[in-house]
């Protein structure tokens, strides 16, 4: 729950299809710890009910599908903002390991960690209002290696670099060309299209679906890396999240002003 006790998500099941709806539009569906815990709990409940396909969506009419990680919950003072135990990281793993297709149905803009969440879904259906931006350089956040691997598993390297280095949103047509989304459909048809897609997948063999998804996850995720290389990358990240620039980026966001980065 949020402070006003309004639920941060709604979940339902019909005909073997589970739906998770982000319902915190007043906070631009920021990925708060409460929302991430609720999504993870909904996915666990769906798995217990043998739900075959899951759809993740925002409420109808939302201009922002999600603004990404709740900046107010990012740690400062030398703490890793994207550590393994972070609720967002836990939710991304839950989506990727769910034993059935998870579909992101996107209307509106997707920012930061929410972009990672969309790419962690198996399929993405979007309408022309959709846009996607990954914005750690706006805040001085050292994105984690796992998150970068999520992007590398889906997109071309030059596309990833443009997205991360510019932090500029990619519109729906660009997202289709780059492979961010599977289907671009008119706004008035996205509900019916996504429901039909989910029903077709729900009718397939669930055991075969689950093992194919897990094989694809392992083959794309389990990239070997030397221990000393991983430690070097972590040390580089540590210097960034303990830097003046990171503290400045978070402060500037809260103060609603442009950050003044110095490279220190």
């Amino acid at each position: 729950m949020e402070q006003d006790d309004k639920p941060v998500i709604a979940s339902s099941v019909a005909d073997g299809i589970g739906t998770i709806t982000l319902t915190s539009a007043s906070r631009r569906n920021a990925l708060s710890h409460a929302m991430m815990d609720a999504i993870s709990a909904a996915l666990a409940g769906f798995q217990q009910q043998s739900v075959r396909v899951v759809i993740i969506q925002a409420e109808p009419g939302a201009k922002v599908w999600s603004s990404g990680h709740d900046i107010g919950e990012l740690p400062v003072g030398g703490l890793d903002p994207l550590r393994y135990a972070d609720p967002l990281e836990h939710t991304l793993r839950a989506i990727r390991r769910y034993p059935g297709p998870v579909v992101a149905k996107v209307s509106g803009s997707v920012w930061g960690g929410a972009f990672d969440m969309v790419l962690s879904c198996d399929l993405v259906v979007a309408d022309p209002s959709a846009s996607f931006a990954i914005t750690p350089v706006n805040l001085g956040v050292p994105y984690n290696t796992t998150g970068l691997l999520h992007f590398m598993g889906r997109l071309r390297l030059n596309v990833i670099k443009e997205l991360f280095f510019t932090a500029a949103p990619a519109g729906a047509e660009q997202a289709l060309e780059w492979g961010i989304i599977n289907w671009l459909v008119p706004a008035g048809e996205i509900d019916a299209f996504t429901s039909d897609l989910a029903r077709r997948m729900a009718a397939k063999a669930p055991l075969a679906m689950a093992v194919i998804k897990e094989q694809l996850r392992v083959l794309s995720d389990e990239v070997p890396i030397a221990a000393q290389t991983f430690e070097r990358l972590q040390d580089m990240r540590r210097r960034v999240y303990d830097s003046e620039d990171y503290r400045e980026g978070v402060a500037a966001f809260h103060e609603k002003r442009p950050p003044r980065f110095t490279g220190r």
Side-chain angles (χ1 to χ4, degrees):
M1 299 286 188
E2 293 183 309
Q3 290 183 347
D4 61 2
D5 290 331
K6 178 184 176 182
V8 289
I9 70 163
S11 63
S12 61
V13 178
D15 301 322
I17 300 167
T19 301
I20 295 172
T21 304
L22 312 183
T23 60
S24 189
S26 64
R27 300 185 67 243
R28 304 199 312 160
N29 286 325
L31 301 182
S32 63
H33 291 174
M35 180 178 283
M36 293 296 90
D37 288 343
I39 292 174
S40 295
L43 289 169
F46 288 165
Q47 187 167 348
Q48 290 180 343
Q49 297 174 69
S50 298
V51 170
R52 296 188 177 188
V53 180
V54 176
I55 298 170
I56 301 179
Q57 62 183 15
E59 289 181 297
K63 295 186 183 301
V64 179
W65 193 86
S66 172
S67 59
H69 202 300
D70 189 331
I71 305 303
E73 294 179 347
L74 284 177
V76 292
L79 297 176
D80 191 340
L82 296 170
R83 62 199 184 281
Y84 183 85
D86 187 90
L88 173 59
E89 296 300 312
H90 181 269
T91 299
L92 298 183
R93 292 192 294 273
I95 291 170
R96 297 172 74 83
R97 293 174 179 174
Y98 189 82
V102 180
V103 181
K105 184 172 76 173
V106 180
S107 298
S109 57
V110 179
W111 299 87
F115 192 175
D116 202 342
M117 188 165 81
V118 166
L119 287 187
S120 292
C121 295
D122 301 292
L123 300 172
V124 183
V125 180
D127 70 21
S129 71
S131 65
F132 303 83
I134 185 72
T135 53
V137 297
N138 286 347
L139 294 168
V141 173
Y143 215 69
N144 57 354
T145 305
T146 300
L148 289 172
L149 285 171
H150 294 164
F151 280 80
M152 291 181 69
R154 289 286 301 271
L155 305 174
R156 303 191 309 271
L157 187 57
N158 63 318
V159 167
I160 296 168
K161 289 179 178 180
E162 180 169 344
L163 287 165
F164 273 87
F165 294 169
T166 68
E173 292 284 352
Q174 185 72 80
L176 181 65
E177 180 182 337
W178 281 349
I180 294 169
I181 63 178
N182 296 82
W183 294 96
L184 177 58
V185 298
E189 300 175 15
I190 190 170
D191 290 343
F193 183 95
T194 308
S195 296
D196 180 66
L197 178 65
R199 282 193 296 269
R200 282 187 281 132
M201 292 190 292
K204 308 304 180 185
L207 296 179
M209 191 93 74
V211 73
I212 290 169
K213 175 171 174 174
E214 180 62 7
Q215 288 178 93
L216 290 170
R217 185 192 68 81
V218 169
L219 291 169
S220 61
D221 280 2
E222 305 300 326
V223 178
I225 182 172
Q228 62 268 27
T229 302
F230 179 78
E231 289 299 326
R232 181 175 65 85
L233 294 174
Q234 286 300 96
D235 187 60
M236 293 172 67
R237 292 187 63 247
R238 190 176 299 113
R239 287 179 221 160
V240 176
Y241 63 70
D242 200 23
S243 69
E244 293 178 14
D245 272 359
Y246 174 56
R247 291 189 289 274
E248 164 65 11
V250 174
F253 177 86
H254 289 303
E255 295 166 14
K256 296 180 170 51
R257 60 171 174 79
R260 296 181 290 271
F261 294 127
T262 63
R264 295 195 301 270

